């Protein structure tokens, strides 16, 4: 092997080393960018990607509730659990098992998803059906939602038909009785 062949072999070796270093740097850069981008992913966007998926939600004051994610909107989600539907206050969700590994950025959400928790509770009130309102502190109220305000709902319960006002901040979920 002549000196020219040795020189070209040296250049090839240096080029291979430079390519390997560049690839390692690129992997580190991609990992850094990936971590930085993931900071923008919200729990709601992961739940939005989980529509139609069976999940188990840990709910403050309620515990685990399993069902299929039917709808996700601003501050709430609808979970179908067999015979019962749950309107869940997103602020009461502590854990989610079984969610999609993907996410749907809020920019891609339908304008209907901007309807808040009050809108979902108004639908229950309009139906006039019995429900169970679970509180984040573990309490619960059985009755019929009558009216829904900006940040609270009115529930009529018991045979004496007493009215209880429930602040949204205290509400974990409203469960259908059907």
């Amino acid at each position: 092997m002549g000196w020219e062949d040795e020189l070209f072999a040296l250049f090839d070796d240096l080029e291979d080393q430079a390519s390997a270093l560049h690839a390692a740097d690129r992997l580190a850069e991609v990992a850094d960018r990936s971590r930085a981008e993931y900071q923008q992913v919200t729990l709601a966007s992961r739940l939005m990607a989980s529509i139609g998926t069976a999940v188990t939600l840990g709910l403050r004051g309620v515990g685990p509730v399993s069902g299929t994610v039917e709808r996700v909107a601003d501050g709430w989600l609808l979970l179908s659990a067999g015979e019962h539907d749950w309107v869940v206050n997103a602020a009461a969700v502590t854990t989610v098992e079984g969610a999609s590994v993907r996410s749907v950025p809020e920019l891609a959400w339908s304008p209907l998803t901007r309807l808040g928790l009050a809108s979902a509770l108004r639908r229950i009130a309009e139906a006039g059906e019995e429900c169970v309102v679970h509180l984040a502190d573990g309490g619960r109220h059985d009755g019929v939602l009558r009216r829904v305000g900006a940040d609270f709902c009115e529930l009529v319960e018991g045979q004496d038909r007493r009215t209880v006002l429930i602040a949204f901040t205290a509400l974990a979920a409203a469960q259908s009785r059907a």
Side-chain angles (χ1 to χ4, degrees), residues 2-16:
W3 68 270
E4 289 177 339
D5 291 333
E6 288 179 20
L7 185 61
F8 284 122
L10 176 63
F11 286 146
D12 287 340
D13 185 46
L14 289 173
E15 194 172 308
D16 289 344

Side-chain angles (χ1 to χ4, degrees), residues 2 13 34 38 47 49 53 83 111 118 129 138 178:
D13 185 46
S34 180
Y38 197 73
L47 288 167
T53 302
E83 297 178 7
E129 296 176 3

